[in-house]
Amino acid sequence: MTFHNYALHLLCRATKGLGNRLETVTDSPGTPAVRLRPEILATAPYRQGKPAPAEAYKLSSNENPFPPIPAVVEAIAAMSVNRYPDAAATLLSERLAERFGVSRGEVHVGSGSVSILAQFIQAAAGPGDEVLYSWRSFEAYPGLVTVAGATSIRIPNLPDHRHDLAAMAAAVTDRTRVAIVCTPNNPTGSIVTAEEFAAFMAAVPGDLLVLLDEAYVEFVTDPAAVNGRDVLGRYPNLVVLRTFSKAYGLAGLRVGYAIGPERILDAARATAIPLSVTEPAQRAALAALDHEEELLERVAVLAARRDDVFEAVRAQGWPVPRSQANFLWFATGADTEAANDIFLAHGIVGRVLLPEGIRISIGEAESVEKLLAASAEVVEKLPGVLTGPTLD
Ligand SMILES: *Cc1c(COP(=O)(O)O)cnc(C)c1O
């Protein structure tokens, strides 16, 4: 059974079970249950990482540990929220267009890049269509595809946790409408190189929408990595997605953007819920760009901290893949829950992604010592976590 068939089989089993339940579980006895889409009933609502207990470090959402700079706080405080925001995010779109050397129509601002991802998937794929991505990758992808009514095709990562782009290209069918390339990949931190990306784009049909999800691009220090900025305009089927949530520290305000061909962006705009990018979010993003140098210095601190933690856990024997993002991937497999208990006991709250492992964000400087003490204890108590692929 292919993975795809297996997934369908599981979905059918799950929905059959739900179907039975629907006949019996009703809001009030004697009335039938409200009819809902079975694939939605089978989808778990988004569950946020547990709030970190006091004294613990919340390293579960790849957030920026630095508090907002004063200019951002001032921009937010200055807004009169009795008015609706500028629906076109004009000032921010203009600023981004300037930076990327594109027209304003080639920029689309959304309330976080997750909502923009949803818009592109809805614009391109519906029932019977396929959306292709690597797995494990960003945990939001499967749900967005399901909500659009389309089918996920997940291509397993290579043993070293990188995208298997050749297998992804080979999996494209005439039903494939979107391919998502996530670099650095969440949760493994692995990059796609410029060379690999060029080969992928050459291998897939020109009418297939490719979304390059670059939520962590600002943390990349490897010159071999693909950068959306360099490939924009080269491919009429490519859209680059970025966010202010991670490097720029605006996760709580929800603002991200897409750069790509105007016709494709117009389709996303057509699916968007109007006025969802708030004025404080637009103003804060502009303030962040005004003070970009200061913010990128913080990003450099986090990238250096990431490399230090990476070297330290490798020295402990962990087969952690080299990360170019602001997190590290601990492929704890069958030991995931036991390993997580040890991390929690040390005050380290990571993101458990069953059944494969735990993603731990690079946070405050003070969190590093606790993280390394925890990872050392995991190795000591659960030596099985050290078995893994050979990594560079
Ligand atoms: C965090 C993240 C995003 C962006 O999230 P928003 O806060 O909605 O902008 C997008 N893609 C990936 C892979 C992420 O990890």
Side-chain angles (χ1 to χ4, degrees), residues 114-343:
V114 172
S115 73
I116 304 180
L117 273 162
Q119 293 164 11
F120 282 110
I121 292 170
Q122 268 172 357
D129 297 330
E130 296 171 356
V131 177
L132 183 66
Y133 50 90
S134 83
W135 199 252
R136 210 172 239 279
S137 191
F138 188 26
E139 66 256 42
Y141 297 153
L144 299 178
V145 175
T146 301
V147 169
T151 303
S152 282
I153 305 294
R154 301 172 176 192
I155 305 300
N157 289 326
L158 292 164
D160 67 1
H161 306 289
R162 295 182 313 119
H163 278 22
D164 188 346
L165 288 172
M168 285 176 71
V172 173
T173 71
D174 61 356
R175 300 307 317 168
T176 315
R177 293 290 174 271
V178 183
I180 309 173
V181 175
C182 185
T183 177
N185 184 46
N186 176 359
T188 61
S190 320
I191 51 146
V192 167
T193 67
E195 204 177 321
E196 289 167 339
F197 188 70
F200 177 74
M201 291 305 290
V204 300
D207 61 0
L208 171 67
L209 173 59
V210 176
L211 301 177
L212 186 62
D213 187 343
E214 294 195 306
Y216 303 95
V217 69
E218 296 85 358
F219 296 97
V220 172
T221 51
D222 182 346
V226 68
N227 186 309
R229 182 175 221 148
D230 302 333
V231 292
L232 273 173
R234 203 178 290 176
Y235 307 103
N237 55 329
L238 173 67
V239 171
V240 172
L241 295 171
R242 294 192 175 185
T243 178
F244 286 96
S245 294
K246 311 286 168 47
Y248 294 87
L250 301 183
L253 283 170
R254 319 300 309 122
V255 54
Y257 59 96
I259 314 272
E262 186 160 2
R263 175 177 166 270
I264 308 175
L265 266 51
D266 280 343
R269 284 187 269 263
T271 75
I273 295 170
L275 304 163
S276 50
V277 188
T278 68
E279 202 65 34
Q282 296 179 32
R283 298 291 172 157
L286 282 164
L289 292 175
D290 285 342
H291 296 82
E292 189 167 31
E293 244 174 79
E294 186 181 349
L295 292 172
L296 292 182
E297 275 169 32
R298 294 170 165 200
V299 168
V301 168
L302 293 169
R305 191 172 296 159
R306 166 200 71 205
D307 292 343
D308 290 346
V309 176
F310 169 79
E311 295 298 341
V313 293
R314 274 287 182 94
Q316 291 174 350
W318 279 94
V320 162
R322 199 171 283 280
S323 171
Q324 286 284 290
N326 64 341
F327 50 80
L328 293 174
W329 175 239
F330 296 80
T332 41
D335 290 319
T336 295
E337 314 239 37
N340 190 51
D341 287 343
I342 295 173
F343 280 115

